[in-house]
Amino acid sequence: FGEATAPRDPARPQVDQWTMPDRLAREFSAIGFYMSAHPLDEFAQTLARLRVVPYAELANDKRHDERAVTLAGSVITRKERRTRDDKRMAHIGFSDSSGMYEAVVFSEVLIQAGQHLDPGKSVILNVSTRWDGDDLKLQILSVQGLNEAAAQTGAGLRIFIDDPKPLASISERLKNQKGKGLVSLIFPVEKGEREVELELPGRYAVTPALKGAIKIVHGVR
């Protein structure tokens, strides 16, 4: 409309990118599933430390034995109802990197850990298995938030920087992140011919969320 003019590219403020957990949470909120990646992908080391079994491996186990195992999953659906004795129970739908599955949770565990079982949250599950013919039935025995579980593994973090500029942002992100992991800064000296590693005092809850938040700080390599 009106006189034709060359389009101008407006000045855009420099802002940090979304972390991967933020992006995935927004994807799930908008369309109900994940596109960029799976929320468990960033927790691969944590899941290995906790000896988490992929659901597909469990479902394809030909022994059909009943046992307790540790699974991980992102909550997709939650359907609650009342039992005959008027207690709460729920069928929870999960997904992990190998597929989708469902588990039942009864009143006691639901009361204790129901806050972890809302759609969009990622968790570690202790479940009991039972086979009904070729159908695998899972009952949740306990639940823990995946970030909490990751913080307790004692994983550490090494942060590479070239100058002091990102230090304030790094400090802000480490604030109130008490845990078991060691964190160190690595920076060049003698015109880049050597590197010095400085271990920070205290221990921190080194989770994928924290790693992602520090990774996007301008000046962090």
Side-chain angles (χ1 to χ4, degrees), residues 21 42-47 49-50 145-159 170 173-185 199-215:
E42 291 192 297
F43 290 86
Q45 292 181 345
T46 297
L47 301 184
R49 286 171 179 246
L50 296 174
L146 189 47
N147 268 314
E148 297 172 12
Q152 294 174 7
T153 63
L157 179 64
R158 304 169 79 218
I159 306 170
I170 292 172
R173 284 161 172 75
L174 290 174
K175 190 182 298 181
N176 301 322
Q177 297 289 337
K178 294 182 179 179
K180 298 181 179 181
L182 295 172
V183 175
S184 60
L185 297 173
E199 186 177 293
L200 300 183
R203 290 178 178 264
Y204 300 86
V206 179
T207 65
L210 177 64
K211 291 180 182 180
I214 290 179
K215 185 177 181 180

Side-chain angles (χ1 to χ4, degrees), residues 16-199:
D16 291 337
Q17 299 180 19
W18 288 341
T19 63
M20 184 56 73
D22 286 339
R23 177 183 297 182
L24 294 176
R26 291 170 189 264
E27 287 178 359
F28 186 84
S29 176
I31 59 179
F33 58 91
Y34 304 106
M35 293 180 60
S36 301
H38 193 280
L40 301 188
D41 292 347
E42 291 192 297
F43 290 86
Q45 292 181 345
T46 297
L47 301 184
R49 286 171 179 246
L50 296 174
R51 298 182 179 180
V52 169
V53 178
Y55 172 73
E57 179 181 319
L58 184 65
N60 292 328
D61 189 340
K62 303 302 182 183
R63 293 174 295 178
H64 284 200
D65 56 340
E66 297 184 5
R67 53 192 170 118
V69 297
T70 302
L71 298 175
S74 295
V75 181
I76 302 298
T77 60
R78 172 172 172 165
K79 299 177 181 178
E80 283 200 36
R81 65 181 182 84
R82 293 279 177 175
T83 62
R84 291 181 179 178
D85 52 359
D86 201 34
K87 292 184 178 180
R88 294 169 62 201
M89 67 168 293
H91 292 273
I92 312 295
F94 298 95
S95 74
D96 68 5
S97 299
S98 70
M100 300 180 66
Y101 61 96
E102 185 177 276
V104 64
V105 57
F106 291 104
S107 179
E108 184 176 347
V109 177
L110 192 56
I111 292 171
Q112 293 175 352
Q115 73 275 14
H116 295 303
L117 295 174
D118 292 329
K121 294 189 175 182
S122 295
V123 294
I124 293 288
L125 305 166
N126 288 321
V127 303
S128 63
T129 68
R130 178 178 63 85
W131 288 89
D132 182 5
D134 289 330
D135 294 329
L136 175 60
K137 306 293 185 181
L138 304 176
Q139 179 183 334
I140 299 173
L141 304 177
S142 65
V143 185
Q144 185 179 22
L146 189 47
N147 268 314
E148 297 172 12
Q152 294 174 7
T153 63
L157 179 64
R158 304 169 79 218
I159 306 170
F160 291 80
I161 60 175
D162 288 326
D163 57 55
K165 293 179 183 178
L167 290 179
S169 293
I170 292 172
S171 176
E172 183 64 27
R173 284 161 172 75
L174 290 174
K175 190 182 298 181
N176 301 322
Q177 297 289 337
K178 294 182 179 179
K180 298 181 179 181
L182 295 172
V183 175
S184 60
L185 297 173
I186 300 174
F187 51 92
V189 295
E190 298 178 359
K191 298 182 180 180
E193 293 184 3
R194 292 196 302 137
E195 289 182 332
V196 171
E197 182 168 354
L198 176 65
E199 186 177 293

